């Protein structure tokens, strides 16, 4: 072989190796046919409304013009995700009326935790449907949907095809309530941190169970800065007294970051244990913290005040939440109503974000710039060697 062609040969091999190892070049769009979502109120699209009490007006006013099972004036991040993938908005698995699961199902319920709680919903606000039960529901849905699809007719129209389970996007947004409920039990920050490893063990088990049922593409949101939320600041005066330079509770956010650091490590571990899984870790914490602390620069107002609520420093009163009514002289009066312009507000009801805030967060995450690995949403099925 003469030197010139030998160099060309080596160069060719180098280009070939570069192509094989370069994440950008090797990843193709995924065409997800369905989404299966797991989580809490950040992504509940109707479960708590179907099973317990409907989200009252003015929830839903901005986009749906009526309550639509969501704790927001409009769409949630999961709605923007579905829409951007060309899929219909997800119905809650527990919603027996009018649901169409042909392109996915939503197992999230407001108040859900990863670990089952030892308190009831009326005691603590915790949903009885913790992540392990959401996983059991998914398993049941996976099996029964295929039995019914075979009956044809409307069943075939309302239920997903078998092959969708391996090509779907599996989204997760949960963990915030596991942390906040510890404080409701009067735990110290150190005590809350101490149970985080157990919470993550149980999270890990669910992801493995979904993988065993065919799940391959996982999109996992980390937990947000709960220490910046009006309800946390109102309910825990001691924690609200220890604020950072922007006005968020430092210990609560420290716990959230502690959880996120370990969640990120867990994701790295799961990539090794689940060789066919593509797992994307999405840093919504940083985005929510940026939105709240730089609200003005981003065109938003009053990030620490609920748009819809009833009085107090944060316009949040736990016994008069968004939509609360009182009866005066036989007439019902809405005393926790919406603010004038939710489109410039961050916090909808002191716990959840406005549609405008959810949309801003979604726009930042869609291209992958806050993800690990940094792949865009529509390419999140591609397994990349990043560890
Ligand atoms: C519920 O109680 C059991 C038994 O004491 C305990 O192991 C578990 O950690 C508790 N769960 C929570 C979320 O506190
Ligand atoms: C269910 O949704 C799919 C996708 O949007 C649609 O094609 C189908 O017609 C719907 N079926 C029924 C019965 O609404
Ligand atoms: C937590 O402490 C508050 C104030 O001392 C008390 O009213 C409440 O009952 C305590 N909660 C629990 C679950 O122990
Ligand atoms: C919440 O609202 C009720 C009814 O208006 C009021 O009595 C109570 O003092 C309020 N609580 C706080 C903490 O502001
Ligand atoms: C991702 O999108 C955001 C919001 O549109 C934009 O600011 C950012 O520069 C984009 N990042 C990349 C890597 O394209």
């Amino acid at each position: 072989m003469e030197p010139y062609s030998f160099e060309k040969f080596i160069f060719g091999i180098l280009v070939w190796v570069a192509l094989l190892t370069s994440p950008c070049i090797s990843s193709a769009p995924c065409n997800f046919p369905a989404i299966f979502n797991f989580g809490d109120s950040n992504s509940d699209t109707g479960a708590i409304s179907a099973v317990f009490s409907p989200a009252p007006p003015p929830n839903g006013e901005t986009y749906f013009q009526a309550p639509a099972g969501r704790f927001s004036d409009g769409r949630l991040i999961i709605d923007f995700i579905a829409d951007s993938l060309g899929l219909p908005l997800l119905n809650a698995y527990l919603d027996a009326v009018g649901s169409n699961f042909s392109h996915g199902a939503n197992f999230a319920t407001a108040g859900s935790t990863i670990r089952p709680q030892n308190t009831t919903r009326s005691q603590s606000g915790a949903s009885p449907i913790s992540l392990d039960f959401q996983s059991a529901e998914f398993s049941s849905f996976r099996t029964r949907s295929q039995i019914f699809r075979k009956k044809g007719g409307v069943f075939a129209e309302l239920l997903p095809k078998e092959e969708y389970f391996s090509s779907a996007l599996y989204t997760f947004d949960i963990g915030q309530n596991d942390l906040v409920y510890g404080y409701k039990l009067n735990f110290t920050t150190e005590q809350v941190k101490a149970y985080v490893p157990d919470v993550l063990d149980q999270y890990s088990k669910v992801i493995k169970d979904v993988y065993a049922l065919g799940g391959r593409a996982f999109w996992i949101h980390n937990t947000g800065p709960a220490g910046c939320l009006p309800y946390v600041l109102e309910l825990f005066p001691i924690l609200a007294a220890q604020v950072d330079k922007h006005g968020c509770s430092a210990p609560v956010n420290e716990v959230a970051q502690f959880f996120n650091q370990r969640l990120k490590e867990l994701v790295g571990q799961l990539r090794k244990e689940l060789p066919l899984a593509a797992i994307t870790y999405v840093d919504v914490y940083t985005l929510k913290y940026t939105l709240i602390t730089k609200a003005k620069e981003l065109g938003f107002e009053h990030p620490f005040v609920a748009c819809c609520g009833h009085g107090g420093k944060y316009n949040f009163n736990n016994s008069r939440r968004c939509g609360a009514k009182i009866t005066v002289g036989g007439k019902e009066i809405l005393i926790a109503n919406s603010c004038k312009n939710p489109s410039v507000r961050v916090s909808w009801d002191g716990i959840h974000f406005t549609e405008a805030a959810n949309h801003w967060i979604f726009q930042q995450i869609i291209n992958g710039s806050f993800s690990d690995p940094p792949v865009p949403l529509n390419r999140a099925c591609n397994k990349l060697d990043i560890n």
Side-chain angles (χ1 to χ4, degrees):
M1 210 182 265
E2 55 175 342
Y4 175 70
S5 64
F6 180 73
E7 274 164 29
K8 246 170 101 179
F9 174 72
I10 294 293
F11 180 73
I13 286 182
L14 287 177
V15 168
W16 190 69
V17 166
L19 281 172
L20 276 185
T21 53
S22 159
C24 297
I25 295 165
S26 62
S27 76
C30 304
N31 298 317
F32 295 115
I35 300 171
F36 297 103
N37 180 67
F38 301 80
D40 56 26
S41 57
N42 287 306
S43 62
D44 181 350
T45 56
I48 284 295
S49 287
V51 178
F52 295 99
S53 46
N59 282 289
E61 64 170 13
T62 299
Y63 183 75
F64 302 99
Q65 276 89 49
R70 292 153 175 84
F71 294 94
S72 180
D73 58 316
R75 287 163 291 181
L76 310 181
I77 296 174
I78 188 65
D79 294 319
F80 291 114
I81 288 179
D83 195 51
S84 81
L85 296 175
L87 297 171
L89 303 188
L90 293 185
N91 285 127
Y93 170 71
L94 294 172
D95 196 346
V97 180
S99 287
N100 182 339
F101 302 117
S102 59
H103 294 274
N106 189 357
F107 302 94
T109 80
S112 282
T113 46
I114 294 166
R115 294 197 304 177
Q117 298 299 299
N118 294 320
T119 52
T120 66
R121 185 166 179 272
S122 58
Q123 287 168 327
S124 66
S127 164
I129 305 152
S130 44
L131 187 61
D132 50 334
F133 292 121
Q134 294 181 26
S135 173
E137 289 173 337
F138 169 69
S139 173
S140 167
F141 178 75
R142 169 106 180 61
T143 308
R144 297 183 71 236
S145 62
Q146 296 316 298
I147 296 170
F148 277 85
R149 242 191 94 80
K150 291 200 182 83
K151 294 182 195 278
V154 71
F155 294 114
E157 257 188 66
L158 294 174
L159 296 166
K161 293 180 182 161
E162 169 99 56
E163 62 265 30
Y164 286 6
F165 287 98
S166 55
S167 47
L169 181 66
Y170 289 82
T171 51
F172 291 77
D173 190 327
I174 194 161
Q176 180 174 314
N177 293 324
D178 288 270
L179 308 179
V180 173
Y181 292 156
Y183 287 115
K184 284 195 183 172
L185 294 170
N186 293 334
F187 281 26
T188 64
T189 291
E190 284 315 307
Q191 286 172 314
V192 174
K193 276 185 178 175
Y195 68 66
V196 165
D198 185 39
V199 172
L200 288 168
D201 279 351
Q202 302 200 29
Y203 203 165
S204 171
K205 184 178 179 308
V206 167
I207 292 167
K208 287 177 185 171
D209 288 346
V210 171
Y211 180 85
L213 292 170
R216 292 296 176 263
F218 295 84
W219 179 267
I220 300 176
H221 291 179
N222 67 5
T223 195
C228 303
L229 302 181
Y231 87 108
V232 167
L233 296 169
E234 175 67 31
L235 292 181
F236 308 110
I238 296 167
L239 297 165
Q242 298 163 260
V243 288
D244 68 12
K245 63 176 188 290
H246 296 290
C248 300
S249 168
V252 177
N253 283 352
E254 183 194 320
V255 168
Q257 286 175 293
F258 180 83
F259 174 92
N260 287 341
Q261 183 53 43
R262 271 140 197 89
L263 175 61
K264 198 171 180 185
E265 285 163 19
L266 170 63
V267 165
Q269 182 61 33
L270 288 170
R271 287 191 187 115
K272 290 182 194 131
E273 290 179 39
L274 311 175
L276 302 176
I279 314 178
T280 310
Y281 169 92
V282 188
D283 183 14
V284 296
Y285 179 100
T286 297
L287 289 168
K288 288 179 175 177
Y289 191 76
T290 302
L291 179 58
I292 291 164
T293 59
K294 299 206 164 101
K296 215 168 187 172
E297 292 160 65
L298 295 166
F300 287 82
E301 293 170 359
H302 312 303
F304 293 102
V305 179
C307 163
C308 181
H310 176 74
K313 186 173 173 193
Y314 310 100
N315 196 34
F316 176 85
N317 181 322
N318 205 30
S319 51
R320 297 272 191 268
R321 286 192 183 182
C322 178
K325 289 174 184 164
I326 54 165
T327 309
V328 179
K331 252 180 74 181
E332 276 201 324
I333 305 170
L334 187 60
I335 56 158
N337 209 346
S338 174
C339 61
K340 275 218 179 67
N341 195 358
S343 71
V344 295
R345 300 294 284 270
V346 174
S347 180
W348 166 243
D349 57 6
I351 306 173
H352 310 101
F353 289 80
T354 59
E355 164 163 305
N358 287 328
H359 187 245
W360 183 85
I361 296 160
F362 167 73
Q363 281 182 315
Q364 310 299 311
I365 62 178
I366 186 175
N367 64 11
S369 48
F370 283 83
S371 297
D372 169 42
V375 284
L377 175 67
N378 69 351
R379 286 166 197 265
C381 63
N382 293 292
K383 197 178 148 45
L384 303 176
D385 266 324
I386 52 152
N387 284 323

